[in-house]
Amino acid sequence: MAYASQRIEVFDTKTPVLFPSSVPSYIRKLPAISPLLDDAAFNHLLSLLANGHRQFIPSPFVIRILFDIATLGRV
C-alpha cells in the first residue's frame, strides 16, 4: 500500500498498488469463490498455528544500547 503523499515508482508487476482509501472497494470487488479448505482442514491448520505461536519478548532497551556500545568498542 502507498500513501497519497508518497512518491512511488510502479514497476512492471501484476501486484496492484493500493492507496488506503481504495482498499475497501478493492476487497469488495474480489471474486467470490468456493472455500479452498473444508472445515476440518481449516480447523486443523488453525490449531497448528495457535499451538506453534511463541510470545515475543524483546530484550530491554537499555541492554540493547549497552550491547551496541560494547560492540562498537571492539571494532
Side-chain angles (χ1 to χ4, degrees), residues 37 39-55:
L37 297 172
D39 287 342
F42 181 75
N43 288 330
H44 175 69
L45 289 175
L46 186 61
S47 66
L48 288 175
L49 180 67
N51 293 336
H53 175 73
R54 291 185 293 159
Q55 186 175 3

Side-chain angles (χ1 to χ4, degrees), residues 4-44:
S5 62
Q6 292 177 326
R7 299 176 79 184
I8 59 171
E9 180 178 329
V10 180
F11 49 92
D12 188 21
T13 181
K14 293 183 181 188
T15 305
V17 176
L18 299 175
F19 291 95
S21 60
S22 65
V23 171
S25 64
Y26 178 78
I27 291 174
R28 281 193 294 272
K29 291 178 185 175
L30 289 174
I33 57 174
S34 61
L36 299 176
L37 297 172
D38 59 358
D39 287 342
F42 181 75
N43 288 330
H44 175 69

Side-chain angles (χ1 to χ4, degrees), residues 29 57 69:
K29 291 178 185 175
I57 304 174
I69 291 172

